[in-house]
Amino acid sequence: MLKNFWYALEFAEKVTRKPIRVTCLGQDFVLYRGESGAPVCLSDLCVHRGGSLAMGSLVGDRIACPYHGWQYNPDGACVKIPANAEERTIPRKARVDSYPAVERYGMVWAFLGDLPEDERPPIPVIPEHDDPSFRAVHFEMELNANYERTFENVVDASHTPFVHGTSFGNPDKPEIPAFEIRSDDWSAEADIFLSPPPPKGLWGLLAKRKPRPEYVTVTNGWYLPNVVKLHVRLPIGDMLLYDFNIPITQDRTMVKIIGYRNFFTGGWADENARKRIEKILVQDRPVVESQRPELLPFDLADELHVRSDALQVAYRRRRAQLIAQGWWVGGDDIIATEGPRRNATVIASPTRRDHPELASAWVHKARNGGKPDEPARRAQ
């Protein structure tokens, strides 16, 4: 799992004035909107006794822990301890991690890492979101698979004739012509020619009026750390799926999808579009959940690659570079102690760089705590 990136954590309409918990990179976060409507993302762990802030309530822009009522500002600092007399000073280390958060393209994003603003990778651009000719639908599904497996699955064009059969690919023409990749430091995409099956159902009714092409152009692309795009140019119009493969843990992934189409743009066709998205995921699910090894190998030579795997190979090479830079979640990000459920992930936030004198503020115990004579390690 990669840190130091913007992660789309939730559909924007689900983030309200009622706090909610989301999990990414093995860590729990709380999301809510401040009084201005701007999203806020904090670590979902009260520093006092480990209460879940997502179970708390809002007091203006502050979130109050449900256990003892400690109130935290959006910057993570505790500003009120109800049990204290008013004249008592709040300890400076009474704070939680606060992560930069923005709303964009119908999603709430949080930067999960401690890089300063001018060093952060960009949020991927989704131009269709602001194009009035497109209509969007949302869909989500949890898979018992590693997010890199679900991520690579979408950019793997050669699996479509076999996993998706006549609903998406064409088993009679599975060949993938050579294609070229367009890439930069944070993304890669390619235009790939695929033989299409005859469209069915509602879409097939309109397609009957148009000649069926021998090939359609499909643009597959990935955008670090976990976003993939599938752009299919159909005889009746364009369909684009943006998949946000959210790593809940190493072996569980929440896939959230925004699907755009510039045909059948009335609301009456939304449910049909969702069902088509669901069908694709349901077909992919048993395959990616049964892949071995469950985690993507670190060594490029550990799996056999052919020319049609070029997009996956490009991702793995860039991934290796970022791992070498220290962007892989591990080491000081993992808190480990003895006993069952002994590991916890804590991603350092930019606030830690802003307050280096408060290093002792961010003390986090693993889920079962530590031995009586063994203090919790600090994630710094």
Side-chain angles (χ1 to χ4, degrees):
M1 298 185 291
L2 291 167
K3 60 184 177 181
N4 290 326
F5 281 99
W6 288 96
Y7 278 86
L9 297 180
E10 186 54 276
F11 294 123
E13 71 266 18
K14 292 188 177 182
V15 181
T16 67
R17 289 285 289 165
K18 179 178 174 58
I20 59 172
R21 180 192 297 117
V22 297
T23 305
C24 185
L25 303 181
Q27 180 175 343
D28 291 336
F29 304 90
V30 57
L31 295 179
Y32 68 91
R33 291 188 187 274
E35 291 184 308
S36 69
V40 177
C41 180
L42 302 174
S43 174
D44 184 35
L45 184 75
C46 178
V47 71
H48 178 222
R49 289 293 184 270
S52 169
L53 297 180
M55 296 174 60
S57 57
L58 299 185
V59 182
D61 280 343
R62 306 172 184 175
I63 188 167
C65 177
Y67 199 5
H68 299 95
W70 286 32
Q71 295 181 17
Y72 297 89
N73 269 342
D75 67 1
C78 179
V79 294
K80 184 177 179 63
I81 300 177
N84 277 4
E86 290 188 7
E87 65 272 12
R88 299 198 66 175
T89 302
I90 295 175
R92 291 191 66 207
K93 68 177 185 178
R95 60 187 310 122
V96 298
D97 276 302
S98 172
Y99 302 87
V102 298
E103 179 178 343
R104 198 169 299 174
Y105 310 126
M107 304 292 293
V108 168
W109 306 67
F111 184 78
L112 304 185
D114 64 351
L115 295 181
E117 185 173 2
D118 59 353
E119 296 180 19
R120 298 170 193 165
I123 291 176
V125 176
I126 303 179
E128 295 79 18
H129 188 78
D130 297 316
D131 186 336
S133 67
F134 283 91
R135 183 174 178 88
V137 296
H138 294 170
F139 186 81
E140 64 182 16
M141 179 182 291
E142 184 175 329
L143 280 73
N144 293 317
N146 178 262
Y147 84 105
E148 290 183 306
R149 289 298 193 187
T150 66
F151 174 98
E152 283 199 348
N153 172 74
V154 180
V155 295
D156 179 0
S158 64
H159 85 283
T160 56
F162 305 98
V163 176
H164 302 294
T166 57
S167 65
F168 188 57
N170 186 350
D172 295 327
K173 293 184 178 181
E175 297 86 2
I176 304 295
F179 56 85
E180 293 188 3
I181 295 177
R182 305 179 295 275
S183 65
D184 57 28
D185 285 343
W186 312 114
S187 67
E189 63 177 35
D191 296 329
I192 303 171
F193 294 111
L194 293 180
S195 176
K200 300 177 181 178
L202 181 63
W203 295 7
L205 294 176
L206 184 58
K208 287 181 180 179
R209 306 174 189 174
K210 301 176 182 292
R212 180 187 169 199
E214 183 178 1
Y215 291 97
V216 295
T217 302
V218 175
T219 300
N220 280 355
W222 55 256
Y223 309 89
L224 291 173
N226 66 331
V227 183
V228 284
K229 178 179 76 173
L230 173 65
H231 180 183
V232 183
R233 295 160 183 84
L234 301 168
I236 58 175
D238 292 330
M239 179 186 71
L240 295 98
L241 303 181
Y242 287 89
D243 291 29
F244 303 88
N245 298 269
I246 302 169
I248 301 174
T249 61
Q250 284 278 28
D251 56 3
R252 290 170 55 220
T253 302
M254 174 59 74
V255 178
K256 293 182 182 287
I257 294 178
I258 304 181
Y260 297 92
R261 67 186 190 278
N262 61 4
F263 55 92
F264 292 144
T265 55
W268 56 270
D270 286 352
E271 187 58 29
N272 181 270
R274 290 190 191 94
K275 287 182 178 179
R276 289 174 182 271
I277 294 172
E278 181 180 19
K279 183 176 182 179
I280 293 172
L281 276 177
V282 167
Q283 290 171 335
D284 283 326
R285 184 174 192 167
V287 176
V288 296
E289 288 185 342
S290 63
Q291 280 184 275
R292 299 293 182 273
E294 291 86 351
L295 307 184
L296 217 63
F298 288 109
D299 191 334
L300 194 63
D302 283 348
E303 290 187 333
L304 183 62
H305 309 286
V306 294
R307 179 179 294 182
S308 59
D309 300 321
L311 279 168
Q312 298 98 297
V313 171
Y315 166 70
R316 295 189 188 196
R317 285 177 173 158
R318 181 59 177 140
R319 169 189 186 248
Q321 295 171 347
L322 294 171
I323 290 173
Q325 290 178 212
W327 288 24
W328 192 250
V329 174
D332 287 340
D333 306 308
I334 308 297
I335 313 302
T337 58
E338 300 283 336
R341 303 181 71 198
R342 59 187 179 273
N343 293 337
T345 303
V346 184
I347 304 299
S349 68
T351 313
R352 301 193 188 202
R353 287 180 181 256
D354 297 337
H355 302 280
E357 74 281 7
L358 297 179
S360 62
W362 289 281
V363 176
H364 184 97
K365 289 182 175 64
R367 296 180 184 183
N368 73 311
K371 294 180 179 178
D373 59 347
E374 179 185 30
R377 290 174 51 202
R378 292 173 187 151
Q380 299 178 37

